[in-house]
Amino acid sequence: MSNSMVVMQPKAVMISSHSDQWGTEICDCCDDMPECCFAFWCFSCFTCISAKKYGECLCLPLLDFCGCVPPITMSMRGSMRQRYGIKGDMCNDCLMATFCRACVWCQMSREMKTRDLQITLIGARSL
């Protein structure tokens, strides 16, 4: 008879009370007036700070000015949809990023504020 011990790590469980839709519409920029004004007066600074808050490189949005379709805005929007479980498609992301770039960045910023997930470790010991 052999003695063996089985150890299993607890698995993370994330429960979200948010829906599978964007929290605000694309044209609801005035819902957060300070962010709307910041995006209007200094769009480059606003996009860079928003990208940093999302966890991306600070200067990444500056690459958007290389073509007619903004690849960074489009990919950030797609990434955010995937991270938060928001329904949509790349065609819509491409259209929105191309023709409503400032509104897209404001919407993504509002979504990050709304879905700000605070991670709490339960039962963790401090050393």
Side-chain angles (χ1 to χ4, degrees):
M1 182 160 130
S2 105
N3 291 334
S4 63
M5 182 165 76
V6 177
V7 177
M8 295 183 69
Q9 293 289 334
K11 295 182 180 181
V13 176
M14 186 183 302
I15 300 171
S16 176
S17 61
H18 297 284
S19 74
D20 60 354
Q21 301 295 319
W22 289 98
T24 57
E25 295 296 321
I26 194 78
C27 293
D28 290 344
C29 293
C30 295
D31 285 358
D32 191 347
M33 194 55 83
E35 295 242 338
C36 180
C37 290
F38 183 27
F40 178 77
W41 291 109
C42 190
F43 183 66
S44 296
C45 296
F46 179 75
T47 59
C48 290
I49 289 171
S50 295
K52 183 69 175 169
K53 286 179 185 176
Y54 188 66
E56 296 295 333
C57 176
L58 178 69
C59 298
L60 189 64
L62 297 177
L63 297 174
D64 262 352
F65 300 106
C66 296
C68 62
V69 175
I72 305 305
T73 301
M74 195 172 103
S75 62
M76 287 273 297
R77 184 173 166 89
S79 171
M80 190 169 288
R81 277 191 310 98
Q82 183 179 6
R83 180 182 288 183
Y84 296 139
I86 299 170
K87 289 184 178 176
D89 56 33
M90 289 302 289
C91 182
N92 186 31
D93 292 340
C94 182
L95 289 171
M96 293 294 176
T98 302
F99 298 109
C100 306
R101 190 179 311 175
C103 294
V104 165
W105 279 98
C106 287
Q107 182 186 37
M108 290 191 300
S109 177
R110 290 189 307 272
E111 200 68 29
M112 284 188 292
K113 282 183 178 180
T114 302
R115 298 185 187 238
D116 185 25
L117 300 174
Q118 297 296 324
I119 298 172
T120 305
L121 296 177
I122 299 172
R125 293 186 233 176
S126 60
L127 298 175

